[in-house]
Amino acid sequence: MTNCIPVKTNTALCSLLAVTCLSKLSSKMIDFDVGVILPAAGSGERLGGSTPKQYCKILDKPLFLYALEAFEKISYIRRIALVVDDPGHVEALLQESNCHKVLVVQGESTRHRSIRAGLQALTKQECDLRIVIVHDAVRPIVPEDLIELLVKAADETGAAGSVCPLVSTVLSAESDGSLKTALDRKSHLASETPQAFQTNVLVSSYNKCSEEDLDCGTECLQLALTYGGIHARLVEGSPNDLWKVTISRDLYTASQCLRERNNSVCIMGTVDCEPARLLAQSLMSCVKTVERVVMSNEEDVQRSSGLRFNNVVFFHTNQIDMERSLLNFAALFDLDNQGLIIHILEQENAEELQNMNVYDLQSSGRKMARQYHKLKKGVVVIHCLDNEADSGNLVRLVTTLIQTHPYSMTGQTLFL
């Protein structure tokens, strides 16, 4: 859901006013329970295909699960109503997830009717939800800092919604399809989700609204204004976060965006080599986290951060002992997200490569792939000459591998 909201000031001033008002709220603690409604009952007609967009797999995970898991991790979120078209199917999908706050609710024929169904399910729970958040389940990014601001603003004013500046000019058309007028972009904003409401405000608005509202409307903030007299606080968010999957190309964008946001890389080795330093610099701009670790030996992993990583790059000075590598470095692996393990073996000279049995190397790679797949990890082995002139090629190769699907090259042995 993205609607166009008229504002009385230009976009820059609206943003400034929001920041000024919300700065007073930043120090307040959220010491009350909050509920969430995730509407996910649409048919996805604009996407095309036979699978509704909320069920499309992104990095082998249903799209709706990203938003659900993000809200699950927020401490003050008490209950989440996931409103769907097929509860049985969704409950089966959730069996392997770690979601304990979710209520799966049968959706209805329109957006407002489905949100109302989710609201009714939340209010029947034995908990006092002071604020309810509405967020499209096909928006996988849930900015926690924005959620906090919206919840605090709604607690103070009754309702709050995230907005972004308009990118395209919005036209108003006559009934015959001809141009009526062009709206001034400076006076309008794009309404996005998440949105937050005092529970009694949202309940009252749905109780008072008309059948036409339920059948044709899409904007919850407008319901709160029309039937509750609540002028919602508008909070500008980042277009990099507040996007949704609508058409087929959005699936590719979502895949790349989520991979970058979820990707973390640990670069390990027993020496502080130039390729490792260059690789860390290359990855800084395209992954969430990069950490370099220099070990005294390959069996002694001492790290200060305690972080877990879905991608690990090992610079080896000896041949790989697969079983020992898995045992020694298991504590490094983030098992919740797919990733890639890359073993880099630096050879002293070309003769060492020529003497290797290629069949045995490829067989070993495939065996490693089967072992690592149990950990949701792909594996690639790279044999390269110890030549600093080739560092750039190695860095580009590893960076590309990290950015692609972790299983696309798993089990392969590469020579550089």
Side-chain angles (χ1 to χ4, degrees):
M1 183 278 301
T2 300
N3 293 316
C4 180
I5 295 180
V7 292
K8 295 181 180 179
T9 59
N10 62 43
T11 301
L13 182 54
C14 179
S15 175
L16 176 61
L17 290 174
V19 171
T20 302
C21 295
L22 291 171
S23 63
K24 301 176 182 179
L25 301 173
S26 60
S27 61
K28 292 176 60 177
M29 294 291 292
I30 298 177
D31 56 359
F32 48 83
D33 291 338
V34 176
V36 177
I37 302 171
L38 293 177
S43 60
E45 292 180 0
R46 287 174 290 180
L47 184 75
S50 58
T51 303
K53 56 191 174 184
Q54 61 268 29
Y55 303 128
C56 289
K57 292 288 187 72
I58 305 291
L59 305 181
D60 290 337
K61 183 188 294 186
L63 177 60
F64 76 85
L65 203 51
Y66 286 94
L68 177 60
E69 290 179 340
F71 279 112
E72 280 270 349
K73 294 176 182 177
I74 300 177
S75 60
Y76 51 82
I77 301 295
R78 182 72 177 275
R79 289 284 186 273
I80 304 169
L82 179 62
V83 189
V84 300
D85 59 324
D86 188 347
H89 174 59
V90 171
E91 286 172 351
L93 292 174
L94 291 175
Q95 286 182 355
E96 296 183 3
S97 72
N98 192 30
C99 298
H100 306 295
K101 302 176 182 179
V102 63
L103 307 167
V104 179
V105 180
Q106 176 65 61
E108 298 190 22
S109 58
T110 66
R111 174 181 175 80
H112 270 327
R113 291 185 185 276
S114 289
I115 293 174
R116 184 180 64 174
L119 182 61
Q120 290 170 344
L122 287 179
T123 55
K124 290 178 182 178
Q125 298 299 301
E126 294 181 358
C127 54
D128 182 18
L129 301 176
R130 193 150 120 190
I131 298 292
V132 171
I133 296 167
V134 177
H135 183 69
D136 298 324
V138 293
R139 295 177 184 264
I141 306 300
V142 179
E144 191 168 344
D145 55 347
L146 178 61
I147 294 291
E148 183 175 342
L149 287 176
L150 290 169
V151 167
K152 292 175 180 178
D155 188 46
E156 183 179 87
T157 64
S162 55
V163 296
C164 283
L166 286 174
V167 176
S168 300
T169 299
V170 178
L171 303 178
S172 176
E174 300 284 5
S175 58
D176 63 358
S178 60
L179 176 65
K180 181 178 180 180
T181 186
L183 302 182
D184 181 3
R185 280 192 296 178
K186 294 180 180 180
S187 301
H188 294 78
L189 297 167
S191 175
E192 313 286 357
T193 69
Q195 298 173 343
F197 304 85
Q198 291 179 8
T199 304
N200 62 330
V201 168
L202 197 57
V203 168
S204 175
S205 297
Y206 273 109
N207 286 342
K208 294 177 181 178
C209 72
S210 67
E211 291 296 310
E212 183 179 1
D213 289 322
L214 292 173
D215 288 336
C216 304
T218 59
E219 181 56 75
C220 296
L221 297 178
Q222 185 63 47
L223 288 185
L225 176 61
T226 301
Y227 298 103
I230 302 297
H231 291 264
R233 182 79 54 79
L234 303 181
V235 183
E236 187 172 340
S238 169
N240 291 328
D241 297 330
L242 304 182
W243 50 269
K244 63 180 291 191
V245 172
T246 302
I247 58 179
S248 58
R249 72 180 180 189
D250 295 336
L251 292 173
Y252 299 99
T253 303
S255 179
Q256 185 62 30
C257 179
L258 290 169
R259 181 176 285 115
E260 289 182 4
R261 284 175 172 269
N262 291 329
N263 260 354
S264 55
V265 183
C266 184
I267 303 170
M268 310 192 71
T270 55
V271 294
D272 186 15
C273 60
E274 180 68 12
R277 290 194 294 270
L278 293 174
L279 179 60
Q281 294 173 8
S282 173
L283 291 170
M284 286 294 292
S285 62
C286 57
V287 302
K288 179 177 67 174
T289 306
V290 178
E291 180 177 311
R292 289 181 56 217
V293 177
V294 178
M295 307 171 292
S296 59
N297 59 71
E298 293 197 5
E299 297 182 6
D300 181 24
V301 183
Q302 295 183 358
R303 299 161 48 244
S304 59
S305 71
L307 296 175
R308 291 177 180 267
F309 302 86
N310 64 318
N311 301 280
V312 181
V313 180
F314 297 101
F315 283 85
H316 295 275
T317 55
N318 303 307
Q319 293 299 313
I320 304 169
D321 184 329
M322 180 181 65
E323 300 293 341
R324 181 172 294 177
S325 292
L326 278 174
L327 181 63
N328 291 344
F329 304 114
L332 284 173
F333 299 150
D334 168 12
L335 302 181
D336 293 329
N337 293 296
Q338 294 177 343
L340 187 64
I341 309 301
I342 301 177
H343 295 284
I344 300 173
L345 286 86
E346 296 186 1
Q347 312 296 151
E348 290 296 331
N349 51 60
E351 286 72 18
E352 289 187 18
L353 292 177
Q354 294 172 351
N355 293 332
M356 292 180 178
N357 185 316
V358 176
Y359 176 82
D360 289 341
L361 287 172
Q362 294 289 4
S363 177
S364 175
R366 290 192 295 270
K367 182 179 179 183
M368 291 178 70
R370 289 192 293 271
Q371 293 291 329
Y372 280 88
H373 187 74
K374 300 173 185 177
L375 305 176
K376 296 185 178 180
K377 303 290 177 280
V379 61
V380 172
V381 179
I382 302 174
H383 293 267
C384 62
L385 290 172
D386 185 17
N387 184 341
E388 291 197 1
D390 292 330
S391 293
N393 292 333
L394 176 63
V395 168
R396 285 188 289 272
L397 173 60
V398 174
T399 300
T400 300
L401 288 171
I402 293 293
Q403 291 179 297
T404 57
H405 195 288
Y407 297 157
S408 61
M409 292 288 287
T410 188
Q412 298 299 308
T413 299
L414 309 178
F415 299 88
L416 184 64

Short mmCIF file of all heavy atoms in Angstrom, two decimals, residues 15 29 56 72 115 169 227 234 241 249 280 340:
data_model
loop_
_atom_site.label_atom_id
_atom_site.label_comp_id
_atom_site.label_asym_id
_atom_site.label_seq_id
_atom_site.Cartn_x
_atom_site.Cartn_y
_atom_site.Cartn_z
N SER A 15 9.60 17.30 6.81
CA SER A 15 10.62 16.45 7.41
C SER A 15 11.24 17.12 8.62
O SER A 15 11.46 16.50 9.66
CB SER A 15 11.70 16.13 6.38
OG SER A 15 12.75 15.41 6.95
N MET A 29 11.20 5.74 27.00
CA MET A 29 11.25 4.28 26.89
C MET A 29 9.88 3.75 26.50
O MET A 29 8.85 4.30 26.90
CB MET A 29 11.68 3.67 28.22
CG MET A 29 13.10 3.99 28.63
SD MET A 29 14.31 3.18 27.57
CE MET A 29 14.03 1.47 28.04
N CYS A 56 6.33 -15.89 -2.46
CA CYS A 56 7.49 -16.04 -3.35
C CYS A 56 8.75 -16.20 -2.51
O CYS A 56 8.94 -15.53 -1.50
CB CYS A 56 7.62 -14.83 -4.27
SG CYS A 56 6.34 -14.74 -5.54
N GLU A 72 9.30 -10.10 15.33
CA GLU A 72 9.47 -11.06 16.42
C GLU A 72 10.64 -10.68 17.33
O GLU A 72 10.63 -10.94 18.52
CB GLU A 72 9.70 -12.47 15.86
CG GLU A 72 8.45 -13.20 15.42
CD GLU A 72 7.83 -14.02 16.56
OE1 GLU A 72 8.50 -14.18 17.60
OE2 GLU A 72 6.69 -14.48 16.40
N ILE A 115 -7.36 -6.08 7.50
CA ILE A 115 -6.75 -5.41 8.65
C ILE A 115 -7.71 -5.44 9.84
O ILE A 115 -7.29 -5.68 10.98
CB ILE A 115 -6.36 -3.96 8.29
CG1 ILE A 115 -5.22 -3.97 7.26
CG2 ILE A 115 -5.94 -3.18 9.53
CD1 ILE A 115 -4.86 -2.60 6.72
N THR A 169 5.64 12.58 -10.63
CA THR A 169 4.50 13.49 -10.54
C THR A 169 3.20 12.69 -10.60
O THR A 169 3.07 11.76 -11.40
CB THR A 169 4.54 14.51 -11.68
OG1 THR A 169 5.74 15.28 -11.57
CG2 THR A 169 3.34 15.44 -11.62
N TYR A 227 -12.84 9.38 10.99
CA TYR A 227 -13.74 8.86 12.02
C TYR A 227 -13.22 9.06 13.45
O TYR A 227 -13.94 8.80 14.40
CB TYR A 227 -14.00 7.37 11.77
CG TYR A 227 -14.69 7.15 10.45
CD1 TYR A 227 -13.97 6.66 9.35
CD2 TYR A 227 -16.03 7.44 10.28
CE1 TYR A 227 -14.59 6.48 8.12
CE2 TYR A 227 -16.66 7.25 9.05
CZ TYR A 227 -15.94 6.77 7.98
OH TYR A 227 -16.55 6.60 6.76
N LEU A 234 3.36 12.56 10.67
CA LEU A 234 4.02 12.00 9.50
C LEU A 234 5.53 12.01 9.73
O LEU A 234 6.11 13.05 10.04
CB LEU A 234 3.67 12.78 8.25
CG LEU A 234 2.17 12.89 7.92
CD1 LEU A 234 1.96 13.67 6.63
CD2 LEU A 234 1.52 11.50 7.83
N ASP A 241 14.59 1.80 2.59
CA ASP A 241 13.95 0.85 3.50
C ASP A 241 12.47 0.65 3.19
O ASP A 241 11.95 -0.46 3.31
CB ASP A 241 14.07 1.35 4.95
CG ASP A 241 15.51 1.43 5.42
OD1 ASP A 241 16.34 0.64 4.94
OD2 ASP A 241 15.80 2.31 6.26
N ARG A 249 9.86 -7.60 -11.32
CA ARG A 249 11.25 -7.15 -11.21
C ARG A 249 11.61 -6.82 -9.77
O ARG A 249 12.80 -6.85 -9.39
CB ARG A 249 11.50 -5.95 -12.11
CG ARG A 249 10.87 -4.66 -11.63
CD ARG A 249 11.14 -3.51 -12.57
NE ARG A 249 10.54 -2.28 -12.10
CZ ARG A 249 10.48 -1.17 -12.82
NH1 ARG A 249 10.99 -1.15 -14.03
NH2 ARG A 249 9.91 -0.08 -12.33
N ALA A 280 38.86 -7.15 2.48
CA ALA A 280 38.05 -6.47 3.50
C ALA A 280 37.60 -5.10 3.01
O ALA A 280 36.44 -4.71 3.19
CB ALA A 280 38.84 -6.35 4.80
N LEU A 340 28.30 -18.58 2.30
CA LEU A 340 29.33 -19.27 1.53
C LEU A 340 30.61 -19.35 2.35
O LEU A 340 31.01 -18.38 3.01
CB LEU A 340 29.59 -18.50 0.23
CG LEU A 340 30.53 -19.13 -0.79
CD1 LEU A 340 29.95 -20.44 -1.32
CD2 LEU A 340 30.78 -18.17 -1.95
#
